[in-house]
């Protein structure tokens, strides 16, 4: 480690300058509805002086809309909806093009040609609370779509090949670097219902949710989509019968189903669940038992 290795060394400076200006129109005494538009200018400057000289000077101009809506049906229930657009600029670790050869079978590097990703995000939530009756209900959905998503591109060598800086990629070894690909989608929903069980002085909570994520990738320059669908449900019974007795019983189950468009051998399904019991006992003399 005292020898200077030029293949594994570099001098790289990265600077990102962001300027943002926007306007928002809002109506309603409590801001019940608002819509806005932002303009964002990003300048990405990257200077590499070793082992080779390289300069990156990129400019991005983006229009970023946003929207917010709130509706109070009564004192107990309301609806919220939000939308916003945003951009993500690659970081220095993703831009550095020095090849990491610490594992000869799995080589990796950054990508100096990376660009920004552009994200649309939507969120909706409904809430209901009835404190006198000890009831509550919440449900929501999140959705996200990304253009030029920053993901990994993988190349598997069919024969011994030379890559950047004359580094040898052995047959069967993999070389990975970040790339921009469109097609990312994410949708997640949840619901929670709570009620007070006065007979046993306990609170019962039921929860459930469904999620879907579509992630793009590339294998040997062929686009691959990983589709992951998840289902989850749970129940929690929490009691506080008295100041001396407190217990919680819970169970949660999750089912995952992942499929790949390029290589079906990577498909998998699995189910995992957790169950727990928590008990606290406190005596009048001050002794207590916890689990």
């Amino acid at each position: 480690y005292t020898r200077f290795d030029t293949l594994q060394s570099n001098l790289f400076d990265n600077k990102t300058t962001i300027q943002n200006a926007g306007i928002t129109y809002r109506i309603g005494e409590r801001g019940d509805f608002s819509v806005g538009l932002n303009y964002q200018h990003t300048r990405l400057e990257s200077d590499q002086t070793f082992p080779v000289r390289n300069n990156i000077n990129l400019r991005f101009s983006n229009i970023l809309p946003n929207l917010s809506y709130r509706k109070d049906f009564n004192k107990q229930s309301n609806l919220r909806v939000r939308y916003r657009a945003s951009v993500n600029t690659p970081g220095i670790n993703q831009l550095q093009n020095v090849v990491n050869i610490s594992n000869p079978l799995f080589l990796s590097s950054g990508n100096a040609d990376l660009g920004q990703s552009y994200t649309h995000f939507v969120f909706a939530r409904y809430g209901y609370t009835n404190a006198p009756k000890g009831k509550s209900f919440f449900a929501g959905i999140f959705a996200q779509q990304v253009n030029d998503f920053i993901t990994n591109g993988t190349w598997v060598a069919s024969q011994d090949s030379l890559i950047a800086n004359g580094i040898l990629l052995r047959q069967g070894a993999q070389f990975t670097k970040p790339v921009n690909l469109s097609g990312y989608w994410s949708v997640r929903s949840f619901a929670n219902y709570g009620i007070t069980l006065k007979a046993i002085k306990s609170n019962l909570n039921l929860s459930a949710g469904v999620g879907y994520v579509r992630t793009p990738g590339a294998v040997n320059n062929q686009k691959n989509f990983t589709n992951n669908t998840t289902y989850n449900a749970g129940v929690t019974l929490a009691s506080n019968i008295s100041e001396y007795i407190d217990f919680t019983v819970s169970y949660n189950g999750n089912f995952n189903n992942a499929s790949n468009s390029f290589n079906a051998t990577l498909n998998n399904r699995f189910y995992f669940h957790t169950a727990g019991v928590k008990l606290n006992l406190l005596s009048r003399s001050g002794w207590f038992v916890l689990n």
Side-chain angles (χ1 to χ4, degrees):
Y1 59 84
T2 58
R3 291 185 177 181
F4 183 64
D5 188 350
T6 58
L7 290 178
Q8 289 292 283
S9 305
N10 78 327
L11 185 61
F12 195 93
D13 181 56
N14 184 64
K15 182 173 71 173
T16 303
T17 305
I18 299 175
Q19 296 173 315
N20 192 306
I23 185 171
T24 300
Y25 175 72
R26 179 177 297 170
I27 58 175
E29 295 181 357
R30 293 170 295 177
D32 295 330
F33 176 79
S34 67
V35 59
L37 200 64
N38 282 23
Y39 171 79
Q40 179 170 308
H41 178 78
T42 305
R43 182 176 181 181
L44 178 63
E45 298 174 277
S46 301
D47 293 312
Q48 182 179 18
T49 57
F50 184 85
V52 296
R53 297 195 66 88
N54 187 28
N55 177 267
I56 300 174
N57 194 336
L58 300 176
R59 289 176 171 82
F60 305 97
S61 297
N62 302 103
I63 301 297
L64 306 175
N66 64 81
L67 181 146
S68 178
Y69 174 73
R70 176 188 174 99
K71 174 66 175 179
D72 293 324
F73 299 103
N74 48 51
K75 294 183 178 181
Q76 298 175 334
S77 61
N78 63 75
L79 174 68
R80 294 182 180 180
V81 179
R82 290 181 181 177
Y83 162 78
R84 71 172 185 268
S86 62
V87 292
N88 180 38
T89 303
I92 187 170
N93 290 331
Q94 296 171 317
L95 293 170
Q96 291 185 106
N97 56 5
V98 171
V99 180
N100 184 348
I101 59 173
S102 57
N103 187 340
L105 298 179
F106 297 94
L107 279 62
S108 63
S109 79
N111 182 1
D113 296 324
L114 279 180
Q116 283 184 323
S117 61
Y118 191 101
T119 301
H120 301 274
F121 176 79
V122 179
F123 161 67
R125 177 182 178 272
Y126 172 80
Y128 168 81
T129 303
N130 189 329
K133 294 185 178 181
K135 294 182 179 181
S136 65
F137 176 76
F138 298 95
I141 185 169
F142 305 82
Q144 191 175 41
Q145 188 265 330
V146 183
N147 294 321
D148 294 325
F149 179 70
I150 299 177
T151 185
N152 284 328
T154 302
W155 291 263
V156 181
S158 58
Q159 59 184 7
D160 291 355
S161 308
L162 291 177
I163 55 176
N165 298 326
I167 295 176
L168 180 64
L169 183 67
R170 293 290 185 181
Q171 181 179 358
Q174 296 183 12
F175 174 58
T176 302
K177 71 176 183 179
V179 294
N180 290 107
L181 293 175
S182 295
Y184 177 91
W185 279 92
S186 174
V187 181
R188 181 170 63 91
S189 63
F190 73 92
N192 183 280
Y193 176 71
I195 188 173
T196 299
L197 304 178
K198 296 182 179 179
I200 57 175
K201 298 181 179 180
S202 302
N203 296 321
L204 177 67
N205 281 278
L206 305 175
S207 62
V210 179
Y212 170 75
V213 179
R214 182 177 186 253
T215 306
V219 180
N220 290 352
N221 293 320
Q222 295 189 30
K223 211 168 185 180
N224 173 62
F225 289 100
T226 300
N227 302 284
N228 191 9
T229 306
T230 60
Y231 307 89
N232 63 81
V235 55
T236 301
L237 180 65
S239 177
N240 189 13
I241 298 176
S242 71
E243 58 182 312
Y244 304 105
I245 302 175
D246 181 33
F247 70 86
T248 302
V249 181
S250 63
Y251 176 82
N252 287 279
N254 293 267
F255 175 74
N256 288 262
N257 183 17
S259 63
N260 292 267
S261 61
F262 179 77
N263 189 354
T265 61
L266 298 177
N267 297 351
N268 67 82
R269 295 183 180 183
F270 61 92
Y271 177 81
F272 69 91
H273 56 104
T274 58
V277 177
K278 182 179 180 181
L279 176 65
N280 299 328
L281 300 176
L282 177 67
S283 68
R284 295 180 181 273
S285 60
W287 290 92
F288 62 87
V289 177
L290 304 176
N291 78 321

